Amino acid sequence: MGGKRKADDPDYTVELLWQRDGAEARQGLSLGRIVRAGVELADAEGLAGLSMRKVAERLGFTTMSLYRHVSGREQLIDLMCDAVAGESVGAGDAAERDGWRSRLEACAREGWALRRRHPWLAEVRGGRHVPGPNVIACYEQMLAAVAETGLSPSEVIAVAGLVGRFVDSEALLLAETAETERRSGLSEEEWWGSRDTLFERLNDYPTIARLWEEGGFDQPEDPFEFGLARLLDGIELLIQRYKTSDETGVCVVCGTPVEQPASGRPKAYCSPSCRQRAYRRRRTGQD
């Protein structure tokens, strides 16, 4: 029962995540060795192939011996996520002098590269995985990249979340494609290349047929590169709205002149009602 309670206790997971291993005996079992073995196993077989039994076998110990260090598979996954996130800490530092866009782009690209090295990261789903110090450090870098742009605190958090979810969604597509290829024994090109009966029917759809004839499907845009650029363009437009309102002293919602304070954060709205209108627009996705 004690092990069960620990496995369900997020506070215990926090303790494990912030724990630092001391000197490790070369042949002994430690939390660090367990986590590294879990990462190696997931890199090779994905999360579907990860089990406490397989990790124990990889290390040459019994499964029960692992439970003295980590209380279950879900906690092990949290520890693995934080361990590999350490590879990305500092991603935005080199671009710091180039402004918010370069810093945020560097964070996104490093997150993408991390998920290419460890595709199983995209398979970790749900919002109740406890983050460790490395995961939080990466998140801090993303927030810091846009924290001084003039965006509101909630918009700074929303921007970091938007970029992070984009990277995760593209990585998940890669992971699912790789898993399908392993399971079927066919590459994406081979499978789609055998769909002649489908392609024969596409001439009935004029837009698809025209784009096909014009070569639109021959050299498609890289989905990650295209999506990241468009995301950053949109964020830049949002930031520019704030800069414009600061320069002209007008309400970003209705254009009414706004008296600016002598010091502190510039006012973006002429009234509480315009602030509420802007809030509702952000919630509903309207312009």
Side-chain angles (χ1 to χ4, degrees):
M1 291 180 63
K4 177 65 174 179
R5 285 196 298 270
K6 285 185 176 181
D8 294 335
D9 183 2
D11 293 330
Y12 178 66
T13 305
V14 171
E15 291 178 14
L16 286 179
L17 285 163
W18 262 262
Q19 176 177 310
R20 292 291 184 269
D21 277 344
E24 296 182 7
R26 184 176 297 274
Q27 300 300 325
L29 185 62
S30 68
L31 183 62
R33 288 192 66 198
I34 293 169
V35 172
R36 286 193 292 274
V39 170
E40 292 170 359
L41 185 60
D43 284 348
E45 302 184 26
L47 283 190
L50 177 71
S51 69
M52 298 294 279
R53 178 184 60 79
K54 286 185 177 181
V55 172
E57 290 175 352
R58 196 178 190 92
L59 292 168
F61 288 86
T62 65
T63 303
M64 289 306 298
S65 65
L66 268 60
Y67 289 103
R68 292 196 292 269
H69 299 272
V70 58
S71 59
R73 182 177 181 274
E74 290 305 308
Q75 280 185 343
L76 177 58
I77 290 173
D78 287 339
L79 292 160
M80 290 162 51
C81 288
D82 197 67
V84 298
E87 302 171 19
S88 293
V89 175
D93 294 348
E96 185 168 356
R97 295 181 180 179
D98 297 329
W100 72 266
R101 180 163 180 151
S102 294
R103 294 175 65 188
L104 188 58
E105 181 178 357
C107 290
R109 290 190 181 283
E110 183 53 39
W112 177 240
L114 182 68
R115 285 156 180 79
R116 298 294 295 269
R117 294 192 296 272
H118 307 287
W120 55 269
L121 279 171
E123 301 176 58
V124 181
R125 313 304 297 275
R128 294 192 177 183
H129 285 275
V130 179
N134 291 322
V135 171
I136 290 179
C138 292
Y139 185 48
E140 166 73 13
Q141 289 171 347
M142 292 186 72
L143 294 174
V146 290
E148 304 303 324
T149 58
L151 296 178
S152 70
S154 62
E155 287 172 331
V156 169
I157 294 171
V159 163
L162 178 64
V163 174
R165 286 189 297 275
F166 166 73
V167 174
D168 283 336
S169 66
E170 290 296 320
L172 180 59
L173 181 59
L174 280 184
E176 290 175 342
T177 299
E179 176 58 26
T180 301
E181 290 180 345
R182 282 196 298 267
R183 193 168 58 246
S184 67
L186 293 173
S187 69
E188 286 290 282
E189 292 78 9
E190 291 170 334
W191 192 87
W192 283 106
S194 302
R195 305 281 74 81
D196 291 338
T197 55
L198 170 65
F199 299 143
E200 291 170 358
R201 291 168 167 78
L202 296 185
N203 287 330
D204 294 335
Y205 301 86
T207 304
I208 294 176
R210 178 176 61 81
L211 292 174
W212 183 280
E213 292 170 358
E214 293 176 355
F217 294 96
D218 295 338
Q219 293 182 325
E221 296 283 344
D222 182 291
F224 177 79
E225 295 295 336
F226 184 83
L228 179 60
R230 301 294 76 74
L231 270 182
L232 295 174
D233 287 346
I235 295 166
E236 188 165 10
L237 179 60
L238 179 63
I239 291 172
Q240 191 60 44
R241 286 183 181 178
Y242 277 102
K243 289 182 178 179
T244 300
S245 68
D246 292 345
E247 294 168 358
T248 62
V250 298
C251 176
V252 297
V253 174
C254 68
T256 300
V258 179
E259 183 176 350
Q260 299 295 330
S263 60
R265 184 187 177 93
K267 291 183 178 180
Y269 309 103
C270 66
S271 66
S273 62
C274 277
R275 182 184 297 275
Q276 286 297 319
R277 286 173 61 192
Y279 173 77
R280 287 194 296 272
R281 287 177 178 179
R282 290 195 295 270
R283 289 294 298 272
T284 59
Q286 298 174 352
D287 283 333

